[in-house]
Amino acid sequence: MTLPEQLTILVVEDEPTDVMILRRRLQQQTETHVDIVDVSDENDVLDVLESRHFDLMFLDNSLVRKTGIEVLREIRQAGYLLGVILFTGVFDERIRAELDELQCDAVLEKGDATPETLKEVMLQAVNGASERIAQQ
C-alpha cells in the first residue's frame, strides 16, 4: 500500500529546531504532498483538532506540561481516530503496552527520522486510522 497523494499533518512539538527538521524531512517526500500545522503548546491540541481535519499527527513524548501519552489519552477520549506517531528522543519499551492500549500507530525516535522511516511510520499511521474508522 502507498501513501495518499496528500496528507494533512499535525506536529505537536515544543522544540522549534525539531519542528523545522521534521517539517523539512516531511516535505522531502516525493509521492505525498504534506500540509503541516505545528503546535508547541500541548494544551492547544484539542482546539486545533476541532478546527480542521488531520490525517495524522507526530506527537512529541516530552512536552512542557504533559507527556505525549497524556495528550494521546485526551485525544482518544475526545473521540479522535487520526493516526498518531509518537516522536521521541529515546524510546522506553516500558511504555509499549500503554501506547498499544491508546492505539498509537508507530514510534519514531528523532534521530531515525529519515525520508524512508518517515514514509514507513506515516503509512502505519494512515492504515491504523483507516482501521479505526472502519470499525466504527
Side-chain angles (χ1 to χ4, degrees), residues 20-123:
M20 182 186 68
I21 292 168
L22 181 59
R23 180 181 289 274
R24 186 178 320 126
R25 291 196 177 147
L26 287 169
Q27 291 170 336
Q28 290 173 345
Q29 296 295 316
T30 56
E31 68 184 65
T32 302
H33 172 75
V34 292
D35 178 16
I36 302 166
V37 174
D38 61 271
V39 175
S40 61
D41 187 333
E42 63 270 29
N43 290 327
D44 294 337
V45 172
L46 290 176
D47 290 337
V48 173
L49 286 171
E50 190 174 310
S51 72
R52 64 186 286 195
H53 168 78
F54 290 92
D55 298 298
L56 62 93
M57 171 174 32
F58 282 86
L59 176 61
D60 183 20
N61 192 42
S62 181
L63 298 162
V64 175
R65 288 176 290 281
K66 299 177 187 175
T67 66
I69 291 174
E70 291 169 316
V71 174
L72 179 55
R73 180 173 286 107
E74 292 171 1
I75 290 166
R76 295 300 188 223
Q77 287 174 345
Y80 292 100
L81 303 174
L82 76 160
V84 175
I85 300 158
L86 189 73
F87 193 51
T88 183
V90 178
F91 180 62
D92 182 348
E93 272 298 328
R94 294 176 290 183
I95 63 172
R96 173 71 67 193
E98 195 168 11
L99 291 174
D100 290 344
E101 175 190 326
L102 294 170
Q103 299 178 322
C104 179
D105 299 295
V107 175
L108 180 63
E109 290 189 17
K110 293 178 182 181
D112 293 337
T114 65
E116 296 79 24
T117 57
L118 283 170
K119 180 180 176 183
E120 181 181 317
V121 295
M122 289 189 320
L123 190 54

